[in-house]
Amino acid sequence: MPRFLLKSTYTVDGLKGLAKDGGTKRAEVVRKTIEASGGRMESMHFSFDEDDTYVLCELPDHKMAAALAIAIRAAGGLRVRMTPVLTAEEVDEATRVKSSYQPPGA
């Protein structure tokens, strides 16, 4: 299953909800949401940098990742970015794929 890094930043309303619910409850909500989408949450971390949360998860496909990001963003509590990520083994496989790409001027 493809892996994704979901990076999010809380809105003011989202921060109010986090302050009320706490981190453990929010992590459980995220886990259940990902599982309901047919995926699996590998980890969730909170931060106090440009992004407030980092979630590494598996989702069935890119359409489901987009649907999840849209639903989260539409709810209004978070601004999200969904980034596909690869394992080292997947990069190894990619490097063995032959491409007919020709650079400009070649």
Side-chain angles (χ1 to χ4, degrees), residues 30-103:
V30 171
R31 184 188 64 75
K32 286 181 180 179
T33 301
I34 290 169
E35 288 177 355
S37 299
R40 182 178 73 82
M41 184 172 87
E42 291 187 21
S43 65
M44 178 174 178
H45 304 275
F46 291 87
S47 181
F48 45 89
D49 194 23
E50 184 176 337
D51 296 307
D52 295 317
T53 67
Y54 297 90
V55 177
L56 184 60
C57 63
E58 293 179 334
L59 291 167
D61 53 39
H62 288 79
K63 288 185 288 187
M64 184 55 70
L68 187 57
I70 290 166
I72 292 169
R73 181 85 187 239
L78 294 166
R79 289 184 302 278
V80 299
R81 291 181 315 283
M82 186 76 74
T83 305
V85 295
L86 302 168
T87 64
E89 292 79 14
E90 289 170 321
V91 171
D92 289 347
E93 290 175 26
T95 62
R96 290 190 286 272
V97 173
K98 299 302 176 203
S99 172
S100 63
Y101 173 73
Q102 185 174 353

Side-chain angles (χ1 to χ4, degrees), residues 16-28:
K16 289 176 184 175
L18 176 64
K20 179 182 173 212
D21 291 345
T24 303
K25 182 175 179 182
R26 293 313 310 158
E28 185 62 17

